[in-house]
Structures are given as structure tokens and as C-alpha cells.
Amino acid sequence: MQLKAPEHQVAGHIAKDGKPGPLVDDKGRFFKPLQGDSRGEIEVKFYESFSSNTEVPEHIRRYFPVYHGTQAVEGSDKAAMIVLENLLADYSKPSVMDVKMGTRTWYPEASEEYIQKCLRKDTGTTTVSAGFRISGFEVYDHKESSFWKPERKLLRRLDVDGARLTLRKFVSSNSFSDIGSKPDSAFASSVYSGSHGILTQLLELKTWFESQTLYHFNSCSILMVYENESILKGNDGDDARPKVKLVDFAHVLDGNGVIDHNFLGGLCSFINFIRDILQSPDESAES
């Protein structure tokens, strides 16, 4: 089995200091290292529960990666890994964004040290002010035939206007090498709007979150993916359509019959940001 590091990872843990990072194979699978503390156990428990839970509607399952169990992987000190669907396997030049949802990313059962660490991040980013934060993104610049990815530390400094501007940049066609240019939002309609667009998918998720009490998705992310070359070529097949997926379930807890207001509130706010862009696609967040 040939494994390699994913080419388009925009957030999450990476291989460093002797610790393994995620890997992908050529069969459409993504190998995510099991975190050594309770987070690894929590994530496996969630996937095992979710994949067999008959209360989850079939149309909602498509927003989650397919789970293939766990596996010890050679070459990474036989590290235990969660084996998932590789969400980018069908894309050759994807534009990807990871958005962490909710006004808080910690959960009540966490240690005080972990809660304080999360609070520092949450209050210093748009997590508290907007209900979400952009953790990372990469855009294929079709004019330069190259990928552009900002440093994560720059994204952590974004305020609300900066987040709005970044969501415009994500669907723009002007080259990112021209720092001074305002985003033209050229792909906003194709990506965010329409019956197969990001907004329609987010609204379908919102409807489920308004009533689901099975899980609380603490510190989970929404992953948005599209391919601007497919749009330019007029491709409209399933593989060419923009996709929304939920990822990162290391802090998911049982819902115990209570609606997940933290995730739902962040999702509603994010939807409003997307709607604002569609209502005024030519308007820059910069005044």
C-alpha cells in the first residue's frame, strides 16, 4: 500500500517532531492518526456510533466522511489511524476551506488547562464574535497555474470584516499574487448559490441541526471544496460540484436529547455571511 502526505491539507495536525501526520493512498482513503489521549477514543467512538445510527437520515450522511475503521499503518511506527474517505480524491486542483464552527471550541468535560487554551484562541479570533473561524484555506489560482495558501497565523488574526473578505477571496478569479486587488467574487454564484451550491447544502444541514439531539459537535469544522477549472470549462457532473463536509470529531459528545445550540448558532451566522456575499458579490469588505 503506497501512502503519502495529503497535498491539500489546510488545517489540523501535520507530521512534526516525530509525530505522524495524516496520509492518503491511491484508493481514495485518508488515514488520520489517532490522538493518544481521550480525543482519539472519542473520535473512534463517534464514527462507530454515527455509521450504525439508524436515526441519522440518509441525506445527512453524505455530509460526513465514510468511515472504514481503524488500522495500524507501517512506516509510521505502526501508528493507529482512523481510515476515512479521502474527501479530495476526485479533485485535481481543488480550492479548499476549513471553517471551525461554534462560539466556543471547548467542552465542559475538558481539563481547565485545555479550556483556558481554547478560550485564548476563541476570544482572539472570530469564534466568539462571529460564531466561526476560518482555520485554513487554499485556492487554485488558475491564472498563475499554482496554489495559494496563507499562513495559519495570519488567519488567526482575522476580524469579522477580514473573515468576510476571505470568504470572497475564496471564490474570486483575480490572481492572489496581486495583493492590492479587491476580490472579484467571480465564482460566488457558481460555488455558493444554486440548487447544488454551498448555501443549499448548509441550509439542509441547518434543518437537521434545528432538531437533532444525538450529538454535540464541539470544535468540528465545515470543509468546503470546489474546482474553479471545472466551472470555467462548464462541467456540471457530481465530481465538479462544490461540496460541504463535516470533519474533526475528536470532541463530539452525546447530545442527551438537547439541541446543539453552539454548532447551530455558528452555522446560522456562517450562512448569513454567505448570503451577504451572494446579495452583493461585487462589494468588497474593504471600505
Side-chain angles (χ1 to χ4, degrees):
M1 179 172 58
Q2 292 294 316
L3 296 173
K4 62 179 182 178
E7 292 181 54
H8 306 290
Q9 184 180 353
V10 296
H13 298 279
I14 57 174
K16 67 175 182 178
D17 301 329
K19 294 182 179 179
L23 299 165
V24 294
D25 67 8
D26 57 0
K27 295 181 174 62
R29 293 181 298 178
F30 181 91
F31 296 77
K32 180 179 180 180
L34 265 175
Q35 296 179 69
D37 51 22
S38 61
R39 289 176 290 179
E41 295 174 20
I42 289 171
E43 190 150 27
V44 170
K45 179 186 173 186
F46 166 74
Y47 274 115
E48 296 281 358
S49 167
F50 185 85
S51 59
S52 61
N53 195 328
T54 56
E55 293 184 59
V56 178
E58 280 305 313
H59 71 280
I60 292 298
R61 289 189 182 279
R62 71 187 180 99
Y63 293 112
F64 291 78
V66 176
Y67 174 60
H68 297 295
T70 59
Q71 184 176 329
V73 174
E74 298 278 356
S76 55
D77 297 324
K78 284 211 165 181
M81 295 199 169
I82 300 176
V83 187
L84 304 167
E85 165 194 10
N86 179 2
L87 300 175
L88 303 181
D90 293 332
Y91 296 89
S92 60
K93 296 167 183 173
S95 294
V96 189
M97 179 178 283
D98 182 298
V99 185
K100 193 169 287 292
M101 306 303 295
T103 53
R104 63 168 170 76
T105 57
W106 51 272
Y107 55 103
E109 289 81 357
S111 67
E112 183 61 29
E113 181 186 1
Y114 183 79
I115 290 174
Q116 290 304 316
K117 177 185 171 184
C118 289
L119 278 172
R120 286 193 295 273
K121 240 185 213 181
D122 292 353
T123 54
T125 62
T126 58
T127 289
V128 171
S129 56
F132 66 87
R133 71 171 178 258
I134 298 169
S135 298
F137 79 101
E138 179 180 79
V139 174
Y140 181 69
D141 186 335
H142 67 94
K143 292 180 179 176
E144 300 286 336
S145 296
S146 61
F147 289 94
W148 185 82
K149 178 163 63 175
E151 291 184 34
R152 294 189 199 180
K153 64 182 180 182
L154 295 177
L155 293 175
R156 285 198 287 268
R157 297 178 196 154
L158 290 177
D159 57 12
V160 171
D161 283 342
R164 188 176 287 111
L165 185 67
T166 301
L167 287 169
R168 291 182 184 278
K169 282 184 177 178
F170 184 59
V171 290
S172 290
S173 71
N174 40 334
S175 176
F176 286 87
S177 60
D178 183 1
I179 302 299
S181 66
K182 292 182 179 181
D184 60 15
S185 305
F187 301 118
S189 178
S190 300
V191 176
Y192 290 150
S193 188
S195 58
H196 301 292
I198 297 289
L199 181 59
T200 295
Q201 295 175 63
L202 293 175
L203 289 170
E204 189 167 48
L205 277 170
K206 174 176 170 280
T207 299
W208 184 60
F209 271 94
E210 286 171 340
S211 61
Q212 83 85 16
T213 59
L214 301 170
Y215 307 103
H216 282 187
F217 290 89
N218 302 297
S219 198
C220 289
S221 289
I222 281 178
L223 196 73
M224 302 191 297
V225 190
Y226 79 96
E227 203 157 49
N228 53 37
E229 282 208 337
S230 294
I231 294 170
L232 291 167
K233 291 175 182 176
N235 296 346
D236 194 34
D238 283 347
D239 292 348
R241 290 170 179 167
K243 288 185 175 67
V244 168
K245 297 282 185 177
L246 269 66
V247 295
D248 298 336
F249 306 112
H251 304 284
V252 173
L253 299 175
D254 289 339
N256 295 321
V258 178
I259 286 174
D260 186 358
H261 290 289
N262 181 53
F263 190 100
L264 176 60
L267 179 58
C268 289
S269 174
F270 189 61
I271 285 169
N272 286 335
F273 273 67
I274 299 295
R275 275 186 168 141
D276 285 348
I277 291 170
L278 288 171
Q279 287 169 1
S280 53
D282 298 326
E283 188 179 299
S284 172
E286 296 171 330
S287 55

